[in-house]
């Protein structure tokens, strides 16, 4: 065993570290061949607040309050969900707040059977005011976790700035700040996970807009609100959950006029400022909620793209809005 390592370090953790190093160098050389910015692999700092190791032997969950790990034996734990399938690996990590987590990788896990979805294609419009607006009329409220916890976070950060560097009180205050950040992130993740799971459960296909979130965050007036809404995270979760449960997923071009197009007659406005949350079509007189109208148009464009991919001639043309509307509205 190399010097400096604790006596309880399992040998499989050292092997996994060597595997990770090999993967890092493989990625480095692959990016070099592609002509991009490679980024040479670097060692992790022992002072980093994020530490982890992975092992793939001697792991079991004997009951709902313990987990068995190599060298450590039985460790008290809060099991978030029943473990189904064969455990193949465990990643133990420490987060900046000082908590320890164990992430289990399993094989042959049974797939949860969901009832047949009612909505053929659901459009999801991510926003700042509302976390998401669905084409079936349901709006998911934005928890605004950062805005609610910002005052307390600023107070604790001021206290941290006054602590002497290298002192134990500074380390203790750093953990307090990290706990507030963790609470804000958990509130945001919880809302997004619940919203995306419900949307995937109730639809056969999901359509979202391919937003340029990084460009939106360059707006100094909206950057904090856009970051707090986590639009990219919502799209990412919808994509992988659709893949898990056999649903289809499609991204609609950001240049598609989803907000400015009337979902009844197809008329497109020349301008629609962001401050306008509701508008009336000058052609057919229909009144529209901005986000709901965008979600319906995203669903129709997503249905058209999916049918184009399937080679369906009836929905291949961009002007066949009536056929797309029929596919979206049948439920």
């Amino acid at each position: 065993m190399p010097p400096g390592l604790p006596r309880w370090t399992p040998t499989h953790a050292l092997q996994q570290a060597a595997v990770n190093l090999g993967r890092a160098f493989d990625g480095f050389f692959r990016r070099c061949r592609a002509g991009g910015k490679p980024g040479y692999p670097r060692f992790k700092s022992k002072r980093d607040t994020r530490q982890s190791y992975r092992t793939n032997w001697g792991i079991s969950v004997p009951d709902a309050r313990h987990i068995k790990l190599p060298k450590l034996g039985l460790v008290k734990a809060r099991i978030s969900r029943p473990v189904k399938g064969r455990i193949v690996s465990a990643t133990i990590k420490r987060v900046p707040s000082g908590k320890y987590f164990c992430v289990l990788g399993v094989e042959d896990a049974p797939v949860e059977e969901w009832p047949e979805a009612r909505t053929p294609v659901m459009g999801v419009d991510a926003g700042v005011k509302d976390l998401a607006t669905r084409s079936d009329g349901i709006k998911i409220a934005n928890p605004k976790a950062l805005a609610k916890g910002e005052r307390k976070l600023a107070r604790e950060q001021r206290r941290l700035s006054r602590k002497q560097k290298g002192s134990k009180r500074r380390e203790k205050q750093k953990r307090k700040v990290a706990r507030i950040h963790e609470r804000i992130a958990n509130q945001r993740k919880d809302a997004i996970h619940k919203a995306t799971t419900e949307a995937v459960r109730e639809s056969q296909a999901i359509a979202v807009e391919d937003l340029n979130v990084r460009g939106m965050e360059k707006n100094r007036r909206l950057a904090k609100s856009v970051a707090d809404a986590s639009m990219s995270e919502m799209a990412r979760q919808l994509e992988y959950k659709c893949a898990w449960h056999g649903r289809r997923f499609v991204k609609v071009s950001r240049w598609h006029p989803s907000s400015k197009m009337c979902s009844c007659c197809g008329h497109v406005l020349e301008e629609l400022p962001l401050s306008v949350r509701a508008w009336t079509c000058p052609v057919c007189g229909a009144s529209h909620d901005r986000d709901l109208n965008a979600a319906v148009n995203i669903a129709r464009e997503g249905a058209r793209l999916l049918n184009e991919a399937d080679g369906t001639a009836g929905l291949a043309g961009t002007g066949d809005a009536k056929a797309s509307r029929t596919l979206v509205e049948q439920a």
Side-chain angles (χ1 to χ4, degrees):
M1 181 178 293
L5 290 175
R7 297 177 62 88
W8 55 265
T9 304
T11 56
H12 290 78
L14 303 178
Q15 295 172 3
Q16 291 297 325
V19 171
N20 292 341
L21 180 62
R23 290 177 179 173
F25 273 106
D26 288 342
F28 168 73
F29 291 124
R30 184 172 60 250
R31 288 189 292 269
C32 285
R33 289 192 295 268
K37 294 183 179 180
Y40 193 81
R42 296 180 299 175
F43 284 103
K44 290 184 179 179
S45 171
K46 68 178 182 180
R47 296 180 180 85
D48 192 355
T49 54
R50 296 180 181 272
Q51 301 285 348
S52 66
Y53 78 93
R54 186 168 71 252
T55 183
N56 57 1
W57 174 83
I59 312 158
S60 64
V61 182
D63 53 57
R65 300 184 62 181
H66 294 86
I67 183 170
K68 187 178 180 181
L69 297 171
K71 294 288 186 177
L72 293 175
L74 284 179
V75 180
K76 288 185 179 180
R78 295 180 181 177
I79 311 299
S80 59
R81 64 180 65 181
V83 179
K84 300 178 181 179
R86 185 172 64 89
I87 300 175
V88 295
S89 67
T91 302
I92 294 86
K93 60 181 182 180
R94 185 184 68 188
V95 295
S97 62
K99 298 178 182 177
Y100 287 84
F101 291 88
C102 180
V103 182
L104 299 178
V106 298
E107 285 184 349
D108 304 326
V111 180
E112 182 183 359
E113 294 292 336
W114 282 0
E116 186 176 354
R118 298 174 298 173
T119 307
V121 181
M122 179 182 292
V124 178
D125 178 57
V128 174
K129 183 175 180 293
D130 293 304
L131 194 65
T133 303
R134 297 172 12 178
S135 56
D136 57 359
I138 297 178
K139 290 189 174 184
I140 310 300
N142 188 349
K144 297 182 179 180
L146 179 60
K148 293 178 181 178
E150 194 172 17
R151 185 175 180 181
K152 185 177 181 180
L153 179 62
R155 182 173 65 248
E156 297 300 333
Q157 284 177 330
R158 283 196 301 269
R159 292 175 179 174
L160 175 63
S161 66
R162 300 189 185 107
K163 298 293 187 290
Q164 184 178 359
K165 291 185 178 181
S167 65
K168 291 188 176 181
R169 288 190 177 184
R170 182 178 177 86
E171 294 301 320
K172 184 177 179 181
Q173 186 64 27
K174 282 175 66 176
R175 287 194 294 271
K176 286 186 179 181
V177 174
R179 289 192 197 103
I180 299 175
H181 278 293
E182 184 180 63
R183 179 178 175 82
I184 292 172
N186 287 342
Q187 289 174 343
R188 186 186 299 121
K189 289 177 184 177
D190 180 69
I192 295 176
H193 271 294
K194 289 178 179 177
T196 52
T197 300
E198 185 179 1
V200 174
R201 187 191 298 271
E202 297 180 2
S203 61
Q204 300 175 15
I206 295 285
V208 299
E209 194 171 6
D210 186 19
L211 297 173
N212 181 16
V213 179
R214 184 169 296 181
M216 296 168 64
E217 289 179 347
K218 292 181 180 179
N219 186 332
R220 298 176 62 184
R221 296 183 178 180
L222 296 175
K224 187 181 294 185
S225 299
V226 171
D228 194 19
S230 294
M231 299 179 184
S232 298
E233 176 65 13
M234 175 166 290
R236 187 191 70 86
Q237 289 189 16
L238 286 171
E239 186 172 6
Y240 83 76
K241 289 181 182 180
C242 285
W244 273 4
H245 298 285
R247 267 55 167 173
R248 305 185 68 182
F249 179 82
V250 63
K251 284 187 176 182
V252 175
S253 172
R254 69 189 64 166
W255 307 113
H256 180 69
S258 57
S259 298
K260 298 190 295 183
M261 179 187 294
C262 176
S263 57
C264 294
C265 66
H267 175 73
V268 180
L269 299 177
E270 294 184 0
E271 292 183 358
L272 186 64
L274 191 61
S275 59
V276 178
R277 308 310 304 173
W279 57 281
T280 302
C281 179
V283 176
C284 65
S287 299
H288 298 295
D289 177 272
R290 180 194 183 101
D291 297 333
L292 180 58
N293 178 70
V296 173
N297 287 328
I298 289 172
R300 290 177 185 167
E301 180 66 10
R304 187 188 68 81
L305 293 174
L306 289 174
N307 283 278
E308 268 190 359
D310 293 339
T312 306
L315 297 180
T318 57
D320 197 356
K322 183 177 180 181
S324 299
R325 182 160 58 250
T326 303
L327 177 61
V328 173
E329 292 178 351
Q330 65 179 0

